[in-house]
Structure formats: C-alpha cells, structure tokens
Amino acid sequence: MAGVRKKPKAGGKYQGYYTDFNGKRKFFAGTRNRAETLRMAQKFEDQHRQVRLGYRPASTKADKAKSRPYCELKDEYIAWGETVGGRSSMPWGETHCRMKKSHLNWWEERLGLEVVGDLYDILPQVEAALRDLQAAGRSGKTLANYSESICSLCDWAEKRGYLMNDPLKHLSTWNTRPQSIFRAPTMAEVYLLLQVAPPERKLLYLVAAFTGLRAGELRSLIVGDLNVESQCLNLHAEWTKNRKQGTQPIPHFLVEILNKETEGKNHDDPILSVPSHPSRELDIDLDAADIPKSTPEGKIVFHSFRSVYINMIVGGGGGNLKEIQTLARHSTPDLTMNVYAKTTPEGLSRLIENMEENIDIQKIRALCVPHQVSGGTGKAKKALKSRKMDSNDEWWRRRESNPRPKTFAPGHYARSPRFVLALPARAGAVRSGESLLGYGPNAAKGVP
C-alpha cells in the first residue's frame, strides 16, 4: 500500500513508498510537500499494479540493462570493490582483488556470458560447474571461493537495479572444513629452522613467530612502522585483516634486532623480504633442518608461526583471556582458544605441578591421616575413636539424621471429639456418631 513517512528527512523532503509488481516495498525521495509525495506514491503503485495484472509491459532499469555487455558490468563491480568494497568501506585487499578477477574471468568463459541478460536462470549451470570442480579434486574452500565471486556479483547487480532478481539466491553453500590439520612447530623445531635458514628468511621466521602477524601483513611492514620507543609495530587499516588500525607489542630483543636490520634504510622501505609463496620456501628449510612437514598431529605451513605465537602467550601465564585475544587480534575468544591454542602433555603436567605450589601440602596430609588409618592397627583405631569432635561434629551427632513427623500419644483422639468430624467416613462404617477410630457412643457395644 502506498504511503509517506510522517516526518521529512534531514533535507526537508518526504520519503514515500509503494509496492512494485514483484510485491516488494520500494522507497523513493519525494518533495517537500507531504500530500504531493503521497500522490506520487499512489501513481507509482498504480503503474506497477497494471504491470502485475498484465495491462502494460514492465519497463524497469533491469530490462534496459539486459542488453548491456557483461564485461562492462564486471569492470564496474571490480572498480567498486577496489574503492569501497571491503570491510568498513575499505578497498579490497591486493590478494582478494586478484583472486576475484581470476574467478570472474573463469565464470565468464565457462558460462559463455556476453550480456547481462545471460545471468538470468544460471543456477543450474553454476551448480554443474561447481560439481565438475569437485570431481577434479578441488577442496570445499576453493569451491566456496569460486561460488562467492559470482554470487557477490549478482547480489551487487540486484541492489543497483541491473538484475530484477538474484538468480543465485538459493545456491547451496559448500563445506569449508579443511582437509588437513595444521600444527604449530615446537620451540626446538623453531631453533633448528633459525640455524639452517638463510639470513632473509631467518629474520622472517623470527618476526612471524614472535608477533603472530600473517604473511600479507608482514609483507606490508615498512621501516616507518617500527616504533623503538614504544617497542611495537604500527599496524594500518589498509592492510590488516580486520581493517583496523592498531599496534602490535614485540619483545625487547626483537626490537633491537629489527632496529639493527633497518639501519640505513629509507622510511618507506620494507622491513622484511616475504616471498610470494612463503610456505614453499619453508618446505626447503624444513628439509634442510630434517624436520618432518607432516605428522599425525598435522602439517607445518607458514601460518603455523601464528599458532606458535598464540601458544607462547597462552602458556606464558599472567594474562587474562581478553588480553590474549587482543594480542592475537581475533574477533572472538573462541577462535583464539579452540582453533589456535593447543594442549600438550608437558603443559598439562606443568599445570599440575604448579598447582602444588599454591597449597599447603603438609596441612592436607595432616588432615587426611585419620581417614587413611581407619582400617589399620588397633592403636590407630583407638586414636581415631579418641579424637575429639568439634562443634560441628557434635551438632551432627545430636540432631536427627532422618526427622519424621511427630505422633500423638495414645488416647489423644479420645480427648479431641472435634477430630472425628474432620475424618473421611467409610460407607456404612459410621453409625450414630461412630468414627473410624472406634470412638463414639456405640464403640463399647462392639458395633462394627
């Protein structure tokens, strides 16, 4: 039903709304006159009702865009993503933008997209293409990335009126559970890697293990991001994963190493040399250090250094869960504790040993001695019996362990004739004031 909002917007114009031929409510900016805006809304709704009834053809922006070349729509979508398409209206990341272009080009070739009208009714073709990728051995995460690229394009086109409806709105999601488990290398393995790695990768592994930064974030660090006085690294919203600006505290020894490595460099020079595929370079160093890449616990990749960092701050103690989550730069504590933090038998044993340091072992042993000798020699039994009870023990001895309702003394009911009237009578049992208890004028005569 057409209508107008009660109050005007900040610019003074009223906002009207109507129901289009698809049954969806549409809003529009009217004039400064509320009555005139209402007439406009009623006119638009009448036009769409005629379209719905078939009296006039639908002439919408989507119909005009059907003959538009698909490549123009794709370029406009990518241009939008490179400016405000990311989180918090930030641009897409470099890697995300590169993969998005690659996937959209693949869909254009696979589906034979030439004009925007070819996007209508493409759900069966998209599902068939994803099944072919699955049969080729692609993982669920890869299939989700391919489907996300074409789905996001269609959703963006629908919001801008280039498509009447999203053709992939009902596309099923894929299971993105990883096929292999990652494990964090132990500190002994980290020491071996630092011994055999070349100087440039040795510094990379060191910073990754003691900061928890991701590969893309390490690649974006410049000399100006090193804050020697505050002993931290400055993080910028343009290249962090959560698109938030902040700082990452680092140990004092790492500040000295980075300060020495950056001497003589310009302010905009990168601090580290990060290869395009750091996990491939890591495999070379793992072989040189004779460290197995895959074990029953999982396999080592470059992102495993982030798990090393989180496990060090978790096992170090002294910090609460919120501080650990902040250092890990995670949105939820569940991701920190249930995905990255791992338990080890040595760590569990250490916690048990530390527990004994906070209690009085001698006092516990002294309190438990009487209970331990209950089945021992006769002298021990006498010692247990002769032990004086404290006030709590005496109170427990005196009280009734299983209290029951008190009963009345014999003859009580005989002294309470009104009690007879309150008792339920059995059929034929009460005659001339007789009661079920045998009390009454005929009780002595033996009348049943």
Side-chain angles (χ1 to χ4, degrees):
M1 182 177 180
V4 183
R5 294 191 181 274
K6 294 182 179 180
K7 295 182 179 180
K9 298 180 72 65
K13 294 183 178 181
Y14 286 90
Q15 187 179 33
Y17 54 87
Y18 61 93
T19 303
D20 65 357
F21 60 90
N22 289 321
K24 296 182 179 181
R25 174 168 289 187
K26 299 293 184 179
F27 293 88
F28 68 95
T31 64
R32 299 180 184 274
N33 190 316
R34 191 172 186 274
E36 185 178 354
T37 304
L38 178 60
R39 289 193 295 269
M40 293 173 59
Q42 293 173 347
K43 178 182 178 180
F44 292 153
E45 184 163 311
D46 182 65
Q47 293 176 355
H48 282 266
R49 182 171 61 253
Q50 294 180 18
V51 172
R52 185 171 61 254
L53 296 176
Y55 296 152
R56 59 186 301 177
S59 177
T60 61
K61 185 178 180 180
D63 293 328
K64 297 178 182 178
K66 284 185 177 180
S67 58
R68 182 184 180 185
Y70 168 79
C71 59
E72 292 184 2
L73 180 71
K74 180 186 65 174
D75 294 340
E76 182 181 349
Y77 170 64
I78 293 176
W80 168 82
E82 292 177 339
T83 53
V84 294
R87 294 182 180 178
S88 303
S89 298
M90 298 291 293
W92 286 342
E94 181 181 355
T95 304
H96 181 81
C97 185
R98 184 180 69 253
M99 297 304 298
K100 182 80 72 172
K101 293 178 180 179
S102 175
H103 291 160
L104 290 178
N105 292 334
W106 184 86
W107 282 114
E108 181 180 3
E109 181 181 356
R110 174 61 188 260
L111 302 178
L113 302 175
E114 297 181 356
V115 294
V116 177
D118 295 337
L119 291 174
Y120 287 93
D121 301 328
I122 60 170
L123 179 60
Q125 295 92 324
V126 170
E127 291 178 337
L130 293 175
R131 286 194 297 268
D132 293 342
L133 290 176
Q134 185 182 30
R138 299 298 184 93
S139 64
K141 180 61 176 177
T142 301
L143 298 177
N145 291 336
Y146 271 88
S147 61
E148 188 274 336
S149 62
I150 188 67
C151 286
S152 60
L153 171 65
C154 293
D155 180 68
W156 174 85
E158 182 195 18
K159 291 180 179 179
R160 279 150 184 79
Y162 299 140
L163 292 177
M164 187 176 302
N165 294 304
D166 185 0
L168 301 179
K169 180 173 59 176
H170 301 291
L171 180 65
S172 301
T173 58
W174 292 88
N175 182 13
T176 58
R177 182 178 300 175
Q179 297 178 349
S180 58
I181 303 175
F182 299 155
R183 75 174 180 93
T186 62
M187 290 308 301
E189 293 174 335
V190 173
Y191 297 150
L192 290 176
L193 280 174
L194 296 178
Q195 291 178 4
V196 302
E200 64 276 5
R201 290 206 295 269
K202 182 182 300 185
L203 182 62
L204 175 63
Y205 299 155
L206 187 66
V207 176
F210 286 92
T211 63
L213 297 179
R214 303 169 180 88
E217 297 168 341
L218 293 171
R219 187 180 291 110
S220 302
L221 285 174
I222 60 176
V223 175
D225 294 330
L226 176 61
N227 193 330
V228 179
E229 296 180 357
S230 301
Q231 296 188 8
C232 64
L233 293 172
N234 296 325
L235 307 180
H236 300 276
E238 291 78 11
W239 44 262
T240 55
K241 184 178 180 181
N242 57 5
R243 292 296 187 266
K244 292 182 180 180
Q245 187 173 356
T247 58
Q248 184 69 22
I250 56 178
H252 179 68
F253 77 92
L254 186 57
V255 175
E256 296 178 350
I257 295 176
L258 292 178
N259 189 26
K260 184 178 180 179
E261 291 291 333
T262 56
E263 287 181 357
K265 292 185 178 181
N266 296 326
H267 181 273
D268 296 333
D269 291 341
I271 296 179
L272 304 170
S273 176
V274 183
S276 58
H277 295 84
S279 292
R280 296 179 184 175
E281 307 295 332
L282 178 61
D283 292 343
I284 299 175
D285 297 331
L286 289 175
D287 294 338
D290 198 17
I291 299 175
K293 178 180 177 63
S294 300
T295 64
E297 299 177 358
K299 67 178 182 179
I300 299 177
V301 295
F302 185 81
H303 198 71
S304 300
F305 286 110
R306 182 166 172 80
S307 297
V308 173
Y309 172 75
I310 294 176
N311 281 278
M312 282 194 295
I313 60 177
V314 170
N320 56 41
L321 181 57
K322 182 59 179 178
E323 293 171 343
I324 295 174
Q325 177 190 347
T326 302
L327 287 175
R329 295 182 295 115
H330 284 153
S331 58
T332 60
D334 179 74
L335 182 61
T336 304
M337 305 306 295
N338 294 336
V339 177
Y340 283 88
K342 307 296 182 182
T343 59
T344 59
E346 296 80 6
L348 298 177
S349 300
R350 185 175 62 255
L351 290 177
I352 298 301
E353 294 174 358
N354 294 339
M355 182 176 60
E356 296 183 358
E357 299 177 359
N358 299 324
I359 60 178
D360 192 345
I361 303 296
Q362 300 298 331
K363 185 176 182 179
I364 291 180
R365 288 176 178 174
L367 293 174
C368 295
V369 167
H371 301 284
Q372 294 177 353
V373 300
S374 59
T377 61
K379 293 183 179 180
K381 292 182 179 180
K382 292 180 180 180
L384 180 60
K385 291 180 179 180
S386 62
R387 184 174 64 88
K388 294 182 179 181
M389 295 184 295
D390 56 9
S391 59
N392 292 332
D393 293 338
E394 293 177 0
W395 172 81
W396 184 85
R397 292 286 187 182
R398 289 195 302 270
R399 73 183 179 89
E400 178 63 42
S401 60
N402 188 14
R404 298 177 177 82
K406 295 182 178 181
T407 58
F408 295 104
H412 172 77
Y413 300 105
R415 296 190 298 272
S416 302
R418 286 183 297 178
F419 181 79
V420 178
L421 300 178
L423 291 174
R426 189 176 62 220
V430 180
R431 299 186 184 93
S432 304
E434 300 165 3
S435 69
L436 294 176
L437 298 177
Y439 173 76
N442 296 328
K445 300 179 181 180
V447 179

